[in-house]
Amino acid sequence: MHKVIVIGAGRIDSSVAKLLQSSGDYQIILADKYQQALDTVGLDENIELQLIDITDQRALHKLLNKGRAVISSCGFDANISIADAALDAGVSYFD
């Protein structure tokens, strides 16, 4: 089973997390900087939720080291640091 990190708990990313989880081929970590966003997405209990401040590079690297790929629908300004961290961690990056 592939572990995928999905950054952002908005409509797009939570839909992506649900789709991947429903396939049975992926273990999902859904991360967001707002606890309220994580609390209200209503996802499968098998999806791990994690609070993350993506401006904290150490925390971001620690999170990305848990997976094989990261998916982000964050804004372009945030995606630069996520893409750089993914490269450093050796994980695939999608936005």
Side-chain angles (χ1 to χ4, degrees):
M1 185 171 294
H2 305 287
K3 187 174 277 191
V4 176
I5 298 146
V6 179
I7 299 180
R11 291 181 188 166
I12 293 170
D13 284 328
S14 59
S15 295
V16 168
K18 288 176 188 178
L19 177 68
L20 291 174
Q21 179 67 27
S22 69
S23 76
D25 294 328
Y26 301 96
Q27 184 178 358
I28 306 299
I29 299 173
L30 181 65
D32 198 283
K33 68 177 182 175
Y34 298 111
Q35 185 65 50
Q36 182 179 2
L38 294 170
D39 291 342
T40 60
V41 292
L43 296 173
D44 184 295
E45 63 187 30
N46 293 320
I47 294 177
E48 180 183 336
L49 302 177
Q50 183 164 338
L51 196 60
I52 181 79
D53 176 0
I54 60 170
T55 63
D56 179 344
Q57 289 298 305
R58 188 179 323 199
L60 182 58
H61 281 91
K62 185 177 178 180
L63 172 64
L64 296 186
N65 281 318
K66 294 180 179 181
R68 295 186 61 191
V70 59
I71 299 171
S72 171
S73 68
C74 296
F76 70 92
D77 55 328
N79 281 336
I80 294 169
S81 64
I82 296 169
D84 286 342
L87 180 63
D88 290 344
V91 300
S92 298
Y93 168 79
F94 305 93
D95 72 9

